[in-house]
Amino acid sequence: MSLCANRGASQGVGYDVDGSRWISTRLWSLPFLAEAEQVSSLRRALRTHLECWGLQELRDAAELCVSELVANVIKHVGPGTPSTLVVSLNSTHLRIAVHDPDLRALPTLVHAGVEAEAGRGMALIEAVSDRWGVDLSGDRKATWCELRVSAARTSRHSGLPRLARAADLLSLYGGEASSPLGPGQSPLGTAVAQNAAIDIITDLLYWCRAYGRNADDVLDQAQAHFEAEAEARFP
């Protein structure tokens, strides 16, 4: 696979294997330490975002890719390596990338024998994804793969989902430390997120009083909407 320079993954802009620019319509990232115990949390966070984006059919392949990309860092860079999971979506593909600080340990495709106990990671990614590659930028590298999505499905779910709006509000009120999703979030981060949520609700109550709305009715209706949507989305 080709190596390609990625100058702006955090802004959703990069370069594809053919030299064209990768421009994502949605992007989120999660910092983590490369430990085997983190994999299940990363998979859960990814699963939640795929459900909100309406991409449940990619869940199994995407979770497999995350597991193998993280395992690649653990094995070839080292346990405990500060890393970042970055997931982005454009009109045709879901891109899953794991960033780490080692520019020397480049992943390679090894066709392991049927009885081999190791060496299957990138082969599995090659099998389930449309394409994969490695981007080098400054003092970091990103190993990524892409899964094809239906153009009709992405257009149906182009609106910002409730979870993403909530995350934006929490970040506005509490800063980046209030991000509600993340493996092994610290007690401080959890407390900041909870306080930000309380501040948001408190401001809405002030708004209700200022404009003569019944706060109890508003909260009851919100609860009813939440329960109805949650039941339909997560039966």
Side-chain angles (χ1 to χ4, degrees):
M1 285 291 174
S2 302
L3 299 181
C4 43
N6 186 343
R7 303 302 181 191
S10 61
Q11 288 77 39
V13 179
Y15 294 88
D16 214 337
V17 290
D18 59 2
S20 60
R21 294 180 71 188
W22 167 272
I23 303 178
S24 63
T25 57
R26 277 169 269 181
L27 180 149
W28 61 273
S29 62
L30 293 174
F32 67 96
L33 297 179
E35 301 283 0
E37 295 79 8
Q38 293 290 312
V39 173
S40 60
S41 296
L42 291 166
R43 289 169 63 111
R44 283 196 301 271
L46 174 62
R47 189 183 312 138
T48 298
H49 276 80
L50 293 182
E51 288 169 346
C52 288
W53 290 353
L55 299 174
Q56 292 92 330
E57 76 277 6
L58 296 181
R59 188 181 70 182
D60 291 343
E63 289 188 29
L64 172 63
C65 290
V66 166
S67 297
E68 295 303 330
L69 289 172
V70 175
N72 186 72
V73 175
I74 295 173
K75 179 179 179 181
H76 297 289
V77 183
T81 299
S83 307
T84 304
L85 171 64
V86 179
V87 181
S88 55
L89 178 68
N90 69 7
S91 60
T92 60
H93 287 85
L94 177 78
R95 175 176 286 198
I96 302 167
V98 170
H99 296 235
D100 71 74
D102 193 332
L103 299 178
R104 298 168 301 172
L106 300 179
T108 57
L109 183 62
V110 177
H111 295 286
V114 294
E115 297 182 357
E117 297 181 357
R120 299 179 182 274
M122 300 313 298
L124 287 173
I125 291 175
E126 168 90 359
V128 303
S129 67
D130 263 21
R131 51 195 174 187
W132 67 273
V134 181
D135 296 348
L136 303 178
S137 177
D139 58 353
R140 297 183 67 81
K141 77 170 184 288
T143 306
W144 55 265
C145 62
E146 294 177 4
L147 304 173
R148 181 172 295 277
V149 300
S150 164
R153 178 170 292 276
T154 55
S155 65
R156 284 201 304 272
H157 295 273
S158 58
L160 190 64
R162 291 189 185 276
L163 184 64
R165 291 201 298 265
D168 288 342
L169 277 174
L170 288 171
S171 296
L172 177 64
Y173 274 70
E176 292 300 323
S178 64
S179 177
L181 286 176
Q185 187 179 40
S186 68
L188 176 60
T190 301
V192 171
Q194 181 171 313
N195 287 336
I198 292 171
D199 285 342
I200 292 169
I201 296 170
T202 302
D203 285 352
L204 290 174
L205 294 176
Y206 271 107
W207 180 90
C208 288
R209 172 172 291 187
Y211 289 93
R213 304 296 193 270
N214 187 306
D216 289 336
D217 287 346
V218 171
L219 293 175
D220 287 344
Q221 291 179 40
Q223 181 70 22
H225 285 180
F226 165 73
E227 291 176 354
E229 291 183 12
E231 183 177 356
R233 186 181 291 272
F234 306 109

